[in-house]
């Protein structure tokens, strides 16, 4: 990378954050809410990208990390009556514990075995949610009541059900995770993760403990996904078992592949693209999934490394 790359990279990311902030004043109410949801789910995709894009570990179990944050925050509010900050911290705590345990067990395998093991753990987590339906709501899920989704700062009350406050909260979480992710991938640790992805045996020969570095990546990925899940519960007021299904492990993989794996902004672009293609095409035809499928095929043909990944490969090599 050139000497100007850090300034360009951080300038680009701050510019994206500034653009999203300005859009909050320009978008109509419908797209205002949709973009807030996209930013929260883009955080989920960023967590997935940390493990898949930078370490090269294909997981089909990340829905359990998202659901751990979702249920950790949701149950803390609904069942225990905790405040919003405490509930969000509970969601993060659940993500830390779960990702640490899963990482210690799943990292004993590699390749396809790792994918299958993570999917099995995710399915167990999903069945546990259904089994304890009296607490979790089972298939129907639970609605987080509006009075519980209020953030208090002294005498000031911030209502997270307010569209503007919800958008700004989603933007705040997205911005924080984006900049943290950028700092990680540009650090020495981020270079080690890429080295493990490219050639783990050679990385071991250089003296690095690849297991510990991969475990740390699993935990970081789990925390980010749990933060997304906790934010989803508190901002959108719904906690459901469908978020723990295998489908919700495949979606972030799809978003990352569309936007570009191992790119910091790729998860946002992939999530944005998928949501708006479905939203636009579903307004014209009931066969919108066919159009989405054709669009995905064209993207794979002309942008084999994802939208941002292909742009970086062809024109802008300094993109992180």
């Amino acid at each position: 990378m050139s000497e100007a790359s850090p300034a360009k990279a951080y300038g680009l990311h701050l510019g994206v954050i500034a653009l999203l902030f300005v859009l909050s004043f320009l978008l109509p109410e419908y797209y205002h809410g949709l973009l807030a949801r996209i930013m929260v789910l883009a955080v989920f995709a960023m967590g997935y990208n940390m493990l898949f894009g930078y370490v090269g570990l294909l997981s089909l179990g990340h829905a359990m990390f998202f659901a751990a944050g979702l249920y950790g925050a949701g149950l803390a509010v609904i069942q225990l009556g905790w405040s919003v900050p405490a509930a969000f911290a509970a969601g993060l705590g659940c993500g830390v514990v779960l990702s640490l345990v899963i990482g210690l067990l799943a990292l004993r395998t590699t390749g396809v075995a790792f994918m299958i093991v993570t999917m099995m753990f995710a399915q167990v987590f999903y069945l546990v949610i259904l089994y304890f339906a009296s607490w979790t709501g089972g298939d129907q899920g639970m609605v987080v009541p509006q009075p519980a989704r209020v953030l208090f700062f002294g005498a000031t009350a911030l209502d997270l059900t307010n569209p503007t406050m919800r958008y700004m909260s989603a933007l705040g979480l997205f911005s924080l995770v984006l900049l943290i992710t950028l700092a990680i991938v540009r650090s020495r640790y981020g270079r080690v993760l890429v080295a493990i992805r490219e050639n783990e045996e050679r990385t071991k020969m250089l003296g690095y403990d690849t297991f510990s570095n991969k475990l740390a990546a699993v935990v970081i990925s789990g925390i980010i996904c749990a933060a997304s899940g906790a934010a989803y519960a508190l901002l959108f007021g719904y906690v459901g078992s469908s978020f723990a299904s295998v489908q919700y492990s495949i979606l972030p993989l799809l978003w990352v592949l569309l936007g570009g794996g191992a790119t910091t902004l790729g998860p946002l672009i992939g999530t944005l693209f998928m949501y708006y293609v479905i939203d636009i095409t579903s307004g014209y035809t009931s066969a919108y999934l066919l159009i989405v499928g054709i669009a995905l095929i064209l993207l794979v043909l002309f942008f084999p490394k994802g939208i941002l990944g292909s742009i970086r490969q062809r024109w802008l090599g300094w993109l992180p």
Side-chain angles (χ1 to χ4, degrees):
M1 288 189 176
S2 65
E3 291 298 322
S5 294
K8 287 182 179 179
Y10 281 99
L12 172 64
H13 289 69
L14 291 174
V16 170
I17 294 171
L19 175 62
L20 291 172
F21 177 77
V22 172
L23 286 176
S24 67
F25 302 102
L26 303 177
L27 290 175
E29 184 176 352
Y30 172 75
Y31 290 103
H32 202 269
L34 183 60
L35 189 53
R37 194 180 302 268
I38 287 172
M39 285 189 287
V40 172
L41 293 177
V43 172
F44 180 26
M46 282 192 278
Y48 189 90
N49 187 42
M50 179 61 65
L51 194 63
F52 173 67
Y54 292 99
V55 190
L57 292 174
L58 175 58
S59 165
L60 288 180
H62 264 57
M64 62 181 161
F65 300 141
F66 181 87
L70 185 82
Y71 277 93
L75 291 176
V77 169
I78 297 170
Q79 303 288 0
L80 303 177
W82 288 10
S83 64
V84 168
F88 186 80
L92 290 182
C94 291
V96 171
V97 173
L98 184 61
S99 59
L100 180 60
V101 172
I102 297 301
L104 288 170
L105 297 174
L107 287 175
R108 298 174 183 271
T109 63
T110 57
V112 176
F114 179 84
M115 178 185 68
I116 294 174
V117 168
T118 53
M119 183 177 66
M120 290 172 58
F121 279 124
Q123 190 65 17
V124 170
F125 190 85
Y126 174 69
L127 293 175
V128 168
I129 292 174
L130 296 181
Y131 183 79
F132 292 99
S134 59
W135 273 76
T136 63
D139 283 328
Q140 294 182 350
M142 300 178 295
V143 175
V144 182
Q146 186 274 336
R149 295 160 58 195
V150 178
L151 186 61
F152 292 97
F153 286 103
T156 305
L158 303 178
D159 187 359
L160 297 181
T161 63
N162 178 274
T164 301
M165 184 54 58
R166 182 173 55 196
Y167 184 97
M168 290 303 175
S169 299
L171 177 59
L173 175 66
F174 171 80
S175 303
L176 179 62
V177 172
L178 179 65
L179 295 177
I180 290 175
T181 302
L182 179 61
I184 290 174
V185 301
R186 295 187 65 86
S187 68
R188 179 180 176 182
Y189 173 67
R191 299 292 190 266
V192 173
L193 294 183
V194 174
I196 292 173
R197 182 192 69 197
E198 297 299 321
N199 194 322
E200 184 171 352
E201 292 302 318
R202 183 172 294 179
T203 307
K204 287 181 180 178
M205 292 174 60
L206 293 173
Y208 291 101
D209 184 349
T210 57
F211 181 86
S212 297
N213 281 285
K214 289 194 293 184
L215 179 60
V218 171
V219 174
I220 292 171
S221 177
I223 292 173
I224 294 174
C225 294
S228 175
Y232 195 97
L234 297 171
L235 294 179
F236 301 102
Y238 178 71
V239 176
S241 61
S242 60
F243 292 106
S245 64
V246 175
Q247 176 191 358
Y248 254 82
S249 290
I250 297 175
L251 285 176
L253 169 62
L254 182 61
W255 297 334
V256 169
L257 289 175
L258 282 175
T263 62
T264 51
L265 289 171
L268 172 65
I269 293 175
T271 309
L272 191 69
F273 177 86
M274 179 59 70
Y275 257 78
Y276 272 100
V277 166
I278 292 176
D279 183 67
I280 293 172
T281 55
S282 62
Y284 291 96
T285 175
S286 59
Y288 65 92
L289 288 179
L290 175 62
I291 299 175
V292 172
I294 294 172
L296 293 180
I297 292 173
L298 292 175
L299 272 175
V300 170
L301 289 175
F302 295 102
F303 295 90
K305 291 191 175 183
I307 297 172
L308 200 61
S310 296
I311 290 175
R312 178 174 63 183
Q313 181 185 38
R314 297 172 185 174
W315 301 296
L316 301 175
W318 54 269
L319 288 175

